[in-house]
Amino acid sequence: MTAAWVAHLAALPAVEEARDTLRSRGRVVLAGPSGPARLLLPLLLAEGPLLIVIPHERALEAVADDLATLAREAGAAGDVLAFPAPGPPPYRGLPRHPEAALRRAHALFAAAKGTLRALVASPAGLLHPTLAARLFSTRVLTLARGEEMTPEILLEAFDEAGYRREDPVSSPGQMARRGGILDVFPPDQEQPVRLEFLGDTLESLRRFDPSTQRATAAVDRLEVLPIADLFLTRSALEGLRERLPARFEGHREVVPLLERLEQGTAGDQALDLLPLVPGVTVPVWEHLPAAAAVVLEPEVVDREAEDYLARARAERARDPEALALEPDELLLAPGALRERLVRRPAVAVQSLEEADAVHVAARAAPRFQGDLLRLVEDLRARGGPSVLYLGNAGRAGRVRDVLLEGGLPVGEGAPVEVRVGALSTGFEVPAADLLVLADGDVFPEEVHLHPRRRGRRARSFLSDFRDLKAGDFVVHEEHGIGRFEGLETIELGGARREFMVLSYKGGDKLKVPVEAMERVQKYTSAEGARPSVDKLGSGAWEKTKRRVKKAMRDMAAELLRLYAERKARPGHAFTMTSPWQREFEEAFEYEETPDQAAAITEVAADMQSPSPMDRLICGDVGYGKTEVAMRAAMRAVLDGKQVALLAPTTVLAFQHWKTFRKRFAPFPVDVEMLSRFRSVRESKDVLRRNREGAVDILIGTHRLLSKDVAFRDLGLLVVDEEQRFGVAAKEKLKQLRKTVDC
């Protein structure tokens, strides 16, 4: 169903003129629109799938997100997908991005099913060919309960489609087999699926939770798509075997490459050679033969395509002897892209006027920076429709209440609408007297609608391992501190396995299988100290562990003493029920994890108790500890108390300040910061208002522990990374804790 404000824009005479021009001539040039309006207008002009080409890869995600929101409002059914570049520019020796390959495959799958409404791509994505549709479809597998098939054949098909063997299965693109059970995680599914065989019969298909391995729902039928838009089929493999010796006659790497092709270990090098086989690769637009082309700034797109090919040629020239296709063989010619973009039907959207262009002016929307009173006044003065897109339901509800309190009619069909959606920026169409505001126009920073993916931490070392470099210090849980020297492939029992090589004092080496890398962690030091390397078998590491255990027991005793001391004196019992507290919690743009929800509940219970709270929240980066602190801070502020947040570094304090400002923007909460980022005059003003109680939440470094920092009524103290504070700061913290009500 088309939104009322979109129908209002579609009825604009200039839009009707552009629609008639496209129908009669097969091509129209739109001049004047900017921002998301450049995406909405083509949706109103052309039916069927769209191939939307933008100049720069860096804008791909924002454009796709905007287009998805606008397509929904325009009543355009179907998927809106981004088609990213497959990875870094060619010839740099860097692998393809697995997630980019997944998304490219998803786009081809949607195109084949006819569910694609719009595909967004830049020259960097379009100049890389994809697998031909007839070959891609051979690895789109339809599985049904009761079907006869052997697990071995299905496993081979998954292998060819690019699935990686990983037990247990936890991420898209993985598979595992255990006897008559085969787990697979298709990239377009929310959960992996467990296939259970009885002999050669597929007895059941069940979705399961990868964290608990428990089944969640039965499935009768499942389509499994490949995890990349480019992979080695049998016919492509045969073609490579035939053509490689002739194309690279006498090259020393041909024979080893052929051997790797036989073993299935050729990787990206084989994929980069696929254009050598006729008919195997095609441009992505051949998967969308009926799509209308929409080009944003055609001249810039053309220039970017030429530049991309020129950069590839320059990279190839650095190593001309490498076994690789030339850029003109590996990539599509910019001329081919240019030819596709002028094929009718086509819509060109550009800033510059030209003779036959239809002018539809759309300019950037005003920005209110959280000033909701000015927003109410401006909307009241307007005559045409105004639409506000907020990042989540809680935030939208809060703004809707403010507008209603200001006497504005708000709702479907009313002059002002408040909707939930992701929009990068707003726009204004003067001819239609239409104003569309995004979250970032209303508040200082936009809130994105899309929830962050929280990956299960299968291995403690994995996040550090990605950034590990040769020479970095690491800690093995049994052998102590050593240096990471790199990876080494060793053949054992006819199988090739990868090992991490660690060096220790005296030149000793320890080789750890990558399957056991959870026993190794990257060395970190709060003070940046350079550690001494341990000696294997010396017993020094065991002594260190015993010493640390004793220190931890002493620390625990000290904490128990402090806890008993605080428990002996009364604290403030905070009020738990408040409409604003509920609105604040509903405005959280992500879904709470079970651990995070438990921490929030426990902190709330502590604050409701008359005893002072002293709680430690532990978690990795991305766990959501800051949200736990912000909800506690909101409870304190709603009871008229002030909140102090200490961070160990200026940069971290600044990040917290930005996060708190964004989160508390819809509410009358004053969030301030004390750090070297503030001038002397600004700091004095913050200190004065903090003494008077005008500052609700004060964030800063150890500067908050200075004698000139005074609170009118401090109710909550939040300390981030307390272990990174020095001894002197910790002593001052002890004194400050005694003054806190909670």
Side-chain angles (χ1 to χ4, degrees):
M1 181 177 176
T2 304
W5 71 269
V6 176
H8 176 77
L9 178 62
L12 192 68
V15 176
E16 292 183 344
E17 179 189 351
R19 190 182 300 113
D20 293 340
T21 301
L22 181 63
R23 287 172 179 169
S24 60
R25 301 181 187 177
R27 178 174 173 79
V28 65
V29 178
L30 296 176
S34 63
R38 301 180 302 167
L39 308 172
L40 177 58
L41 291 171
L43 285 171
L44 303 180
L45 303 182
E47 298 179 356
L50 301 176
L51 173 63
I52 297 184
V53 185
I54 63 174
H56 306 293
E57 182 77 8
R58 61 178 177 270
L60 192 67
E61 299 303 328
V63 170
D65 289 348
D66 285 349
L67 190 61
T69 296
L70 296 172
R72 185 173 65 248
E73 297 299 83
D79 299 321
V80 175
L81 302 175
F83 193 72
Y91 306 109
R92 293 187 179 180
L94 299 172
R96 282 172 164 78
H97 294 155
E99 185 173 344
L102 282 172
R103 297 175 71 184
R104 287 168 69 94
H106 191 193
L108 301 190
F109 185 55
K113 289 201 303 181
T115 61
L116 192 63
R117 180 62 176 97
L119 187 66
V120 184
S122 75
L126 293 175
L127 293 183
H128 287 270
T130 67
L131 205 65
R134 60 181 177 81
L135 296 175
F136 184 83
S137 63
T138 63
R139 287 299 171 261
V140 176
L141 306 173
T142 302
L143 308 175
R145 189 163 59 87
E147 191 173 354
E148 294 290 327
M149 65 175 66
T150 65
E152 289 77 16
I153 291 177
L154 191 56
L155 205 62
E156 184 181 346
F158 287 154
D159 273 326
E160 287 187 10
Y163 283 80
R164 305 177 303 280
R165 300 196 185 200
E166 187 76 27
D167 195 4
V169 166
S170 60
S171 300
Q174 294 179 349
M175 64 172 177
R177 183 188 178 187
R178 296 179 301 281
I181 296 175
L182 199 157
D183 293 344
V184 62
F185 201 150
D188 62 331
Q189 300 289 320
E190 292 294 325
Q191 290 184 321
V193 178
R194 179 158 292 151
L195 314 175
E196 296 186 23
F197 288 85
L198 183 60
D200 291 343
T201 303
L202 182 54
E203 281 288 301
S204 69
L205 299 89
R206 297 178 184 276
R207 290 191 174 89
F208 67 93
D209 184 339
S211 61
T212 64
Q213 296 292 302
R214 291 180 178 175
T216 58
V219 181
D220 289 329
R221 182 183 175 88
L222 177 71
E223 278 189 310
V224 182
L225 65 149
I227 65 165
D229 64 308
L230 211 57
F231 51 87
L232 277 175
T233 63
R234 292 176 186 173
S235 59
L237 185 59
E238 289 299 325
L240 279 181
R241 289 193 190 112
E242 292 175 8
R243 287 169 174 77
L244 277 174
R247 173 65 177 79
F248 298 99
E249 186 177 1
H251 199 292
R252 65 182 183 278
E253 294 182 18
V254 169
V255 173
L257 177 58
L258 289 172
E259 292 175 354
R260 292 198 301 276
L261 284 173
E262 291 291 340
Q263 298 165 357
T265 59
D268 287 350
Q269 186 179 17
L271 300 182
D272 288 339
L273 293 168
L274 279 180
L276 189 62
V277 185
V280 169
T281 60
V282 298
V284 65
W285 54 78
E286 289 198 11
H287 292 260
L288 296 164
V294 178
V295 195
L296 306 189
E297 304 297 342
E299 291 185 1
V300 183
V301 166
D302 193 41
R303 186 169 64 247
E304 286 295 318
E306 294 286 354
D307 288 348
Y308 192 81
L309 183 60
R311 290 194 295 271
R313 287 171 178 156
E315 289 290 340
R316 172 62 170 155
R318 295 176 186 272
D319 189 8
E321 300 302 319
L323 195 153
L325 297 180
E326 297 302 318
D328 297 280
E329 300 173 285
L330 175 65
L331 302 174
L332 302 168
L337 174 60
R338 194 178 306 120
E339 180 183 341
R340 174 61 183 87
L341 298 184
V342 298
R343 189 192 308 164
R344 300 169 188 239
V347 180
V349 185
Q350 58 193 45
S351 305
L352 300 177
E353 294 280 358
E354 63 177 62
D356 296 331
V358 177
H359 186 79
V360 184
R363 62 195 183 204
R367 299 180 70 88
F368 294 90
Q369 294 292 308
D371 189 344
L372 299 185
L373 292 179
R374 184 166 69 88
L375 173 66
V376 171
E377 293 171 1
D378 279 25
L379 294 181
R380 188 182 290 119
R382 293 186 55 81
S386 301
V387 189
L388 286 70
Y389 282 90
L390 283 305
N392 55 59
R395 206 166 170 97
R398 172 64 185 149
V399 172
R400 187 182 293 108
D401 290 344
V402 170
L403 298 180
L404 289 171
E405 289 169 8
L408 288 171
V410 181
E412 188 75 33
V416 180
E417 290 186 52
V418 178
R419 305 174 78 89
V420 176
L423 209 57
S424 59
T425 60
F427 57 91
E428 189 173 6
V429 184
D433 199 13
L434 170 69
L435 175 65
V436 177
L437 294 175
D439 201 304
D441 301 318
V442 177
F443 296 110
E445 295 180 40
E446 71 276 12
V447 171
H448 296 292
L449 185 66
H450 310 288
R452 118 185 91 185
R453 294 179 180 177
R454 298 179 184 273
R456 184 171 62 90
R457 192 184 184 192
R459 295 187 176 100
S460 61
F461 183 64
L462 189 57
S463 59
D464 289 336
F465 181 68
R466 294 191 182 101
D467 300 323
L468 202 61
K469 303 183 297 294
D472 285 351
F473 291 103
V474 294
V475 183
H476 190 287
E477 63 181 29
E478 292 181 5
H479 302 289
I481 300 173
R483 282 182 183 273
F484 175 68
E485 300 295 341
L487 296 174
E488 182 178 335
T489 303
I490 301 175
E491 189 166 331
L492 293 173
R496 297 167 66 86
R497 296 176 64 190
E498 271 195 311
F499 289 80
M500 299 171 57
V501 181
L502 311 182
S503 64
Y504 286 84
K505 193 173 183 179
D508 293 337
K509 301 280 187 182
L510 179 68
K511 295 181 180 180
V512 182
V514 291
E515 306 93 79
M517 64 183 179
E518 73 276 3
R519 307 179 76 178
V520 183
Q521 293 187 10
K522 188 176 181 179
Y523 175 86
T524 57
S525 170
E527 294 78 20
R530 187 181 180 86
S532 59
V533 176
D534 288 307
K535 183 171 178 60
L536 290 177
S538 66
W541 179 243
E542 289 300 323
K543 292 178 182 177
T544 300
K545 289 198 290 186
R546 287 196 295 271
R547 187 169 64 250
V548 170
K549 286 179 181 177
K550 181 180 183 302
M552 290 175 67
R553 283 195 296 269
D554 293 343
M555 183 186 296
E558 173 68 10
L559 287 173
L560 284 172
R561 187 186 63 78
L562 289 173
Y563 184 75
E565 189 177 304
R566 284 176 57 80
K567 197 77 173 176
R569 65 183 180 86
H572 177 81
F574 286 90
T575 306
M576 290 294 106
T577 56
S578 167
W580 276 9
Q581 182 71 35
R582 286 194 296 271
E583 286 183 23
F584 184 81
E585 293 179 356
E586 289 169 0
F588 185 47
E589 59 262 38
Y590 308 121
E591 182 180 351
E592 295 94 347
T593 64
D595 288 342
Q596 187 185 33
I600 290 169
T601 302
E602 289 167 4
V603 168
D606 282 351
M607 294 182 71
Q608 195 172 11
S609 167
S611 299
M613 175 177 67
D614 199 345
R615 179 169 288 275
L616 175 66
I617 305 294
C618 295
D620 298 328
V621 174
Y623 163 84
K625 302 184 295 295
T626 305
E627 176 64 19
V628 178
M630 288 192 290
R631 295 197 187 184
M634 186 62 166
R635 288 190 177 90
V637 170
L638 290 176
D639 263 26
K641 299 289 184 177
Q642 291 175 286
V643 179
L645 190 155
L646 272 74
T649 66
T650 303
V651 172
L652 191 54
F654 181 72
Q655 290 173 345
H656 280 311
W657 179 62
K658 287 186 66 179
T659 302
F660 271 67
R661 280 187 69 221
K662 172 177 138 181
R663 190 76 168 83
F664 284 89
F667 303 90
V669 177
D670 193 338
V671 181
E672 282 292 356
M673 176 182 65
L674 274 181
S675 78
R676 59 183 176 84
F677 287 170
R678 286 297 180 85
S679 67
V680 174
R681 177 178 296 179
E682 289 174 330
S683 296
K684 286 183 177 179
D685 180 62
V686 170
L687 289 170
R688 177 186 59 79
R689 292 191 296 113
N690 192 63
R691 284 194 302 272
E692 296 170 354
V695 174
D696 297 303
I697 302 173
L698 183 60
I699 299 170
T701 59
H702 59 277
R703 173 74 175 84
L704 296 191
L705 302 174
S706 303
K707 292 181 179 179
D708 61 342
V709 179
F711 293 86
R712 182 183 61 81
D713 190 1
L714 182 61
L716 177 66
L717 173 64
V718 181
V719 186
D720 190 16
E721 304 283 351
E722 183 175 354
Q723 76 278 2
R724 295 173 62 182
F725 285 91
V727 175
K730 287 180 179 178
E731 288 301 319
K732 292 180 180 179
L733 268 173
K734 288 181 183 179
Q735 299 304 316
L736 184 60
R737 277 194 174 99
K738 295 178 180 179
T739 69
V740 185
D741 285 342
C742 177

Short mmCIF file of all heavy atoms in Angstrom, two decimals, residues 275-312:
data_model
loop_
_atom_site.label_atom_id
_atom_site.label_comp_id
_atom_site.label_asym_id
_atom_site.label_seq_id
_atom_site.Cartn_x
_atom_site.Cartn_y
_atom_site.Cartn_z
N PRO A 275 36.96 -16.31 -16.08
CA PRO A 275 36.61 -15.66 -17.35
C PRO A 275 37.35 -16.23 -18.56
O PRO A 275 36.96 -15.97 -19.70
CB PRO A 275 37.00 -14.19 -17.11
CG PRO A 275 36.88 -14.02 -15.64
CD PRO A 275 37.35 -15.32 -15.06
N LEU A 276 38.37 -17.04 -18.30
CA LEU A 276 39.11 -17.68 -19.38
C LEU A 276 38.24 -18.70 -20.12
O LEU A 276 38.46 -18.99 -21.30
CB LEU A 276 40.35 -18.37 -18.80
CG LEU A 276 41.40 -18.94 -19.75
CD1 LEU A 276 42.00 -17.84 -20.61
CD2 LEU A 276 42.49 -19.65 -18.96
N VAL A 277 37.23 -19.25 -19.42
CA VAL A 277 36.37 -20.29 -20.00
C VAL A 277 35.13 -19.62 -20.59
O VAL A 277 34.35 -19.02 -19.84
CB VAL A 277 35.97 -21.33 -18.95
CG1 VAL A 277 35.20 -22.47 -19.59
CG2 VAL A 277 37.20 -21.86 -18.22
N PRO A 278 34.91 -19.71 -21.88
CA PRO A 278 33.76 -19.02 -22.51
C PRO A 278 32.43 -19.48 -21.92
O PRO A 278 32.21 -20.67 -21.67
CB PRO A 278 33.87 -19.43 -23.99
CG PRO A 278 35.30 -19.81 -24.18
CD PRO A 278 35.75 -20.40 -22.88
N GLY A 279 31.55 -18.51 -21.68
CA GLY A 279 30.19 -18.81 -21.23
C GLY A 279 30.04 -19.07 -19.76
O GLY A 279 28.91 -19.25 -19.28
N VAL A 280 31.15 -19.10 -19.00
CA VAL A 280 31.05 -19.39 -17.57
C VAL A 280 30.67 -18.14 -16.78
O VAL A 280 29.87 -18.20 -15.85
CB VAL A 280 32.37 -20.00 -17.04
CG1 VAL A 280 32.38 -20.05 -15.52
CG2 VAL A 280 32.57 -21.39 -17.61
N THR A 281 31.24 -17.00 -17.13
CA THR A 281 30.95 -15.76 -16.41
C THR A 281 30.20 -14.78 -17.31
O THR A 281 30.42 -14.75 -18.53
CB THR A 281 32.23 -15.11 -15.89
OG1 THR A 281 33.09 -14.80 -16.99
CG2 THR A 281 32.96 -16.03 -14.93
N VAL A 282 29.34 -13.99 -16.66
CA VAL A 282 28.55 -12.97 -17.38
C VAL A 282 28.42 -11.75 -16.49
O VAL A 282 28.61 -11.83 -15.27
CB VAL A 282 27.14 -13.51 -17.73
CG1 VAL A 282 27.22 -14.70 -18.66
CG2 VAL A 282 26.36 -13.85 -16.46
N PRO A 283 28.08 -10.60 -17.07
CA PRO A 283 27.77 -9.42 -16.23
C PRO A 283 26.51 -9.69 -15.40
O PRO A 283 25.63 -10.45 -15.82
CB PRO A 283 27.52 -8.31 -17.25
CG PRO A 283 28.10 -8.80 -18.54
CD PRO A 283 28.00 -10.28 -18.51
N VAL A 284 26.43 -9.08 -14.23
CA VAL A 284 25.28 -9.32 -13.37
C VAL A 284 23.98 -8.88 -14.04
O VAL A 284 22.92 -9.45 -13.79
CB VAL A 284 25.46 -8.59 -12.01
CG1 VAL A 284 25.47 -7.09 -12.18
CG2 VAL A 284 24.35 -9.00 -11.04
N TRP A 285 24.05 -7.88 -14.92
CA TRP A 285 22.80 -7.40 -15.52
C TRP A 285 22.18 -8.43 -16.46
O TRP A 285 21.01 -8.32 -16.79
CB TRP A 285 23.01 -6.06 -16.23
CG TRP A 285 24.10 -6.02 -17.25
CD1 TRP A 285 24.06 -6.49 -18.53
CD2 TRP A 285 25.39 -5.42 -17.08
NE1 TRP A 285 25.25 -6.24 -19.16
CE2 TRP A 285 26.09 -5.58 -18.30
CE3 TRP A 285 26.03 -4.76 -16.02
CZ2 TRP A 285 27.39 -5.11 -18.49
CZ3 TRP A 285 27.31 -4.29 -16.21
CH2 TRP A 285 27.99 -4.47 -17.42
N GLU A 286 22.94 -9.45 -16.86
CA GLU A 286 22.32 -10.52 -17.66
C GLU A 286 21.38 -11.38 -16.81
O GLU A 286 20.57 -12.12 -17.35
CB GLU A 286 23.39 -11.38 -18.32
CG GLU A 286 24.12 -10.66 -19.44
CD GLU A 286 24.86 -11.59 -20.38
OE1 GLU A 286 24.63 -12.82 -20.29
OE2 GLU A 286 25.66 -11.09 -21.19
N HIS A 287 21.51 -11.29 -15.49
CA HIS A 287 20.55 -11.95 -14.60
C HIS A 287 19.27 -11.13 -14.48
O HIS A 287 18.28 -11.62 -13.92
CB HIS A 287 21.16 -12.14 -13.21
CG HIS A 287 22.29 -13.12 -13.17
ND1 HIS A 287 22.14 -14.42 -12.73
CD2 HIS A 287 23.60 -12.99 -13.50
CE1 HIS A 287 23.31 -15.05 -12.80
NE2 HIS A 287 24.21 -14.20 -13.26
N LEU A 288 19.30 -9.87 -14.96
CA LEU A 288 18.16 -8.96 -14.86
C LEU A 288 17.84 -8.40 -16.24
O LEU A 288 17.96 -7.18 -16.47
CB LEU A 288 18.46 -7.82 -13.89
CG LEU A 288 18.69 -8.20 -12.42
CD1 LEU A 288 19.36 -7.05 -11.68
CD2 LEU A 288 17.36 -8.54 -11.77
N PRO A 289 17.46 -9.24 -17.20
CA PRO A 289 17.30 -8.74 -18.57
C PRO A 289 16.19 -7.70 -18.72
O PRO A 289 16.25 -6.85 -19.61
CB PRO A 289 16.98 -10.02 -19.36
CG PRO A 289 16.44 -10.99 -18.35
CD PRO A 289 17.16 -10.68 -17.08
N ALA A 290 15.16 -7.75 -17.86
CA ALA A 290 14.04 -6.83 -18.00
C ALA A 290 14.14 -5.60 -17.09
O ALA A 290 13.21 -4.78 -17.07
CB ALA A 290 12.74 -7.57 -17.71
N ALA A 291 15.24 -5.46 -16.37
CA ALA A 291 15.34 -4.36 -15.40
C ALA A 291 15.55 -3.02 -16.10
O ALA A 291 16.26 -2.93 -17.10
CB ALA A 291 16.48 -4.62 -14.43
N ALA A 292 14.94 -1.99 -15.53
CA ALA A 292 15.21 -0.62 -15.98
C ALA A 292 16.47 -0.13 -15.28
O ALA A 292 16.64 -0.35 -14.08
CB ALA A 292 14.03 0.28 -15.65
N ALA A 293 17.34 0.53 -16.02
CA ALA A 293 18.58 1.04 -15.44
C ALA A 293 18.35 2.45 -14.90
O ALA A 293 17.78 3.30 -15.59
CB ALA A 293 19.68 1.06 -16.49
N VAL A 294 18.77 2.67 -13.67
CA VAL A 294 18.71 4.00 -13.05
C VAL A 294 20.13 4.39 -12.70
O VAL A 294 20.80 3.68 -11.94
CB VAL A 294 17.83 3.98 -11.78
CG1 VAL A 294 17.81 5.35 -11.12
CG2 VAL A 294 16.42 3.52 -12.11
N VAL A 295 20.60 5.51 -13.24
CA VAL A 295 21.99 5.92 -13.04
C VAL A 295 22.01 7.25 -12.31
O VAL A 295 21.43 8.23 -12.79
CB VAL A 295 22.74 6.06 -14.38
CG1 VAL A 295 24.24 6.12 -14.12
CG2 VAL A 295 22.41 4.92 -15.32
N LEU A 296 22.65 7.26 -11.15
CA LEU A 296 22.82 8.52 -10.41
C LEU A 296 24.13 9.16 -10.86
O LEU A 296 25.19 8.56 -10.73
CB LEU A 296 22.87 8.26 -8.90
CG LEU A 296 21.70 7.47 -8.29
CD1 LEU A 296 21.80 7.49 -6.77
CD2 LEU A 296 20.36 8.01 -8.75
N GLU A 297 24.04 10.36 -11.42
CA GLU A 297 25.19 11.10 -11.95
C GLU A 297 25.95 10.26 -12.98
O GLU A 297 27.05 9.75 -12.73
CB GLU A 297 26.12 11.53 -10.80
CG GLU A 297 25.45 12.33 -9.71
CD GLU A 297 24.92 13.67 -10.22
OE1 GLU A 297 25.34 14.12 -11.30
OE2 GLU A 297 24.06 14.26 -9.53
N PRO A 298 25.39 10.09 -14.18
CA PRO A 298 26.00 9.22 -15.20
C PRO A 298 27.46 9.55 -15.52
O PRO A 298 28.27 8.63 -15.71
CB PRO A 298 25.10 9.44 -16.42
CG PRO A 298 23.80 9.89 -15.85
CD PRO A 298 24.13 10.68 -14.64
N GLU A 299 27.81 10.82 -15.59
CA GLU A 299 29.18 11.18 -15.93
C GLU A 299 30.15 10.72 -14.85
O GLU A 299 31.26 10.25 -15.15
CB GLU A 299 29.30 12.69 -16.14
CG GLU A 299 28.59 13.19 -17.39
CD GLU A 299 28.85 14.67 -17.62
OE1 GLU A 299 29.60 15.28 -16.82
OE2 GLU A 299 28.29 15.22 -18.58
N VAL A 300 29.75 10.83 -13.60
CA VAL A 300 30.62 10.40 -12.51
C VAL A 300 30.75 8.88 -12.51
O VAL A 300 31.83 8.33 -12.29
CB VAL A 300 30.08 10.88 -11.14
CG1 VAL A 300 31.03 10.50 -10.02
CG2 VAL A 300 29.87 12.39 -11.17
N VAL A 301 29.65 8.17 -12.77
CA VAL A 301 29.69 6.70 -12.85
C VAL A 301 30.65 6.26 -13.94
O VAL A 301 31.48 5.36 -13.75
CB VAL A 301 28.27 6.14 -13.10
CG1 VAL A 301 28.35 4.67 -13.53
CG2 VAL A 301 27.42 6.27 -11.85
N ASP A 302 30.57 6.91 -15.10
CA ASP A 302 31.44 6.56 -16.22
C ASP A 302 32.90 6.79 -15.86
O ASP A 302 33.77 5.96 -16.15
CB ASP A 302 31.05 7.39 -17.44
CG ASP A 302 31.69 6.87 -18.71
OD1 ASP A 302 31.75 5.65 -18.90
OD2 ASP A 302 32.17 7.70 -19.51
N ARG A 303 33.18 7.91 -15.20
CA ARG A 303 34.56 8.22 -14.81
C ARG A 303 35.08 7.23 -13.78
O ARG A 303 36.24 6.79 -13.85
CB ARG A 303 34.62 9.65 -14.27
CG ARG A 303 36.03 10.14 -13.97
CD ARG A 303 36.07 11.62 -13.69
NE ARG A 303 35.33 11.99 -12.50
CZ ARG A 303 34.22 12.73 -12.51
NH1 ARG A 303 33.69 13.14 -13.66
NH2 ARG A 303 33.60 13.04 -11.38
N GLU A 304 34.24 6.86 -12.82
CA GLU A 304 34.66 5.90 -11.80
C GLU A 304 34.96 4.52 -12.40
O GLU A 304 35.88 3.83 -11.97
CB GLU A 304 33.58 5.77 -10.72
CG GLU A 304 33.51 6.95 -9.77
CD GLU A 304 34.76 7.08 -8.93
OE1 GLU A 304 35.28 6.07 -8.44
OE2 GLU A 304 35.23 8.22 -8.77
N ALA A 305 34.17 4.12 -13.39
CA ALA A 305 34.41 2.83 -14.05
C ALA A 305 35.75 2.83 -14.76
O ALA A 305 36.52 1.86 -14.67
CB ALA A 305 33.28 2.54 -15.04
N GLU A 306 36.06 3.91 -15.47
CA GLU A 306 37.35 4.00 -16.16
C GLU A 306 38.50 4.02 -15.16
O GLU A 306 39.54 3.37 -15.37
CB GLU A 306 37.39 5.27 -17.03
CG GLU A 306 36.41 5.28 -18.19
CD GLU A 306 36.85 4.36 -19.32
OE1 GLU A 306 37.96 3.79 -19.25
OE2 GLU A 306 36.07 4.21 -20.28
N ASP A 307 38.32 4.74 -14.05
CA ASP A 307 39.37 4.81 -13.03
C ASP A 307 39.61 3.45 -12.38
O ASP A 307 40.75 3.10 -12.07
CB ASP A 307 38.99 5.84 -11.95
CG ASP A 307 39.09 7.27 -12.45
OD1 ASP A 307 39.66 7.47 -13.54
OD2 ASP A 307 38.60 8.18 -11.75
N TYR A 308 38.54 2.69 -12.16
CA TYR A 308 38.68 1.37 -11.54
C TYR A 308 39.52 0.45 -12.43
O TYR A 308 40.42 -0.26 -11.94
CB TYR A 308 37.30 0.76 -11.30
CG TYR A 308 37.33 -0.47 -10.42
CD1 TYR A 308 37.38 -0.36 -9.04
CD2 TYR A 308 37.31 -1.75 -10.96
CE1 TYR A 308 37.42 -1.48 -8.21
CE2 TYR A 308 37.34 -2.88 -10.15
CZ TYR A 308 37.39 -2.74 -8.78
OH TYR A 308 37.44 -3.85 -7.97
N LEU A 309 39.25 0.47 -13.72
CA LEU A 309 40.02 -0.35 -14.64
C LEU A 309 41.47 0.13 -14.72
O LEU A 309 42.41 -0.68 -14.77
CB LEU A 309 39.38 -0.33 -16.03
CG LEU A 309 40.04 -1.22 -17.09
CD1 LEU A 309 40.02 -2.68 -16.65
CD2 LEU A 309 39.35 -1.07 -18.44
N ALA A 310 41.67 1.46 -14.68
CA ALA A 310 43.03 2.00 -14.75
C ALA A 310 43.84 1.59 -13.52
O ALA A 310 45.03 1.25 -13.62
CB ALA A 310 42.98 3.52 -14.86
N ARG A 311 43.20 1.58 -12.34
CA ARG A 311 43.91 1.17 -11.13
C ARG A 311 44.27 -0.32 -11.19
O ARG A 311 45.33 -0.74 -10.72
CB ARG A 311 43.06 1.47 -9.90
CG ARG A 311 42.92 2.96 -9.60
CD ARG A 311 42.35 3.19 -8.20
NE ARG A 311 40.99 2.70 -8.07
CZ ARG A 311 39.90 3.43 -8.34
NH1 ARG A 311 40.04 4.67 -8.76
NH2 ARG A 311 38.69 2.92 -8.18
N ALA A 312 43.36 -1.12 -11.76
CA ALA A 312 43.65 -2.55 -11.91
C ALA A 312 44.84 -2.76 -12.84
O ALA A 312 45.70 -3.62 -12.58
CB ALA A 312 42.42 -3.28 -12.44
#
